[in-house]
Amino acid sequence: MKILVINGPNLNMLGVREPDIYGRKTYSDLVRLIENHCREKGVTVEIFQSNHEGAIVEKIQNAYKKFDGIVINPAAYTHTSVAILDALKAVGIRTVEVHISDVSSREDFRRISYVKLYAEKTISGLGFDGYLRAIDHLL
Ligand code: DQA
């Protein structure tokens, strides 16, 4: 099984950004956690982060026929990006949406998710563990 993990804008700032919401662990901690989990489960994983919508769209397009599953935290693009939704629909790869925080209990605008219209599951509010649950779901 080959899984692509995609993280959107500002997730490279984990550990620094709003620690009361996202915690004190860094993006490198997240990468290590996912890599260790995938090693234990025998999953091949690629982990990608970008602050640019177009780069995320291109990464999804390039995943066509190369990955069996996508775990995506589109971050702020969750609430705005039809382009990311369309890219996921275009490649037809099984997808799980993840949010570190509980988006349903924050500002109203965070309740809208375009990716949710395609994702087979959304995991929100479980911190970094959400990524591991998403991988387990795809398995
Ligand atoms: C987030 C929630 C989004 O609303 C926010 O814009 C993020 C991170 C999360 O993981 O909780 O950047 O996707």
Side-chain angles (χ1 to χ4, degrees), residues 2-22:
K2 225 176 147 190
I3 293 178
L4 174 62
V5 177
I6 299 176
N7 279 298
N10 300 307
L11 291 169
N12 56 317
M13 297 296 284
L14 285 170
V16 173
R17 88 181 272 217
E18 301 179 271
D20 44 321
I21 296 174
Y22 299 109

Side-chain angles (χ1 to χ4, degrees), residues 26-38:
T26 65
Y27 181 70
S28 305
D29 293 332
L30 175 64
V31 168
R32 211 170 309 123
L33 181 78
I34 294 169
E35 284 176 348
N36 287 342
H37 188 73
C38 286

Side-chain angles (χ1 to χ4, degrees), residues 7-11 14 17 21-22 73-79 98-103 106-107 109-110 124-125 131:
N7 279 298
N10 300 307
L11 291 169
L14 285 170
R17 88 181 272 217
I21 296 174
Y22 299 109
N73 182 347
Y77 291 140
T78 308
H79 320 298
V98 172
H99 299 286
I100 295 165
S101 66
D102 177 10
V103 280
R106 298 179 63 193
E107 301 96 323
F109 66 83
R110 294 188 204 274
S124 180
Y131 291 84

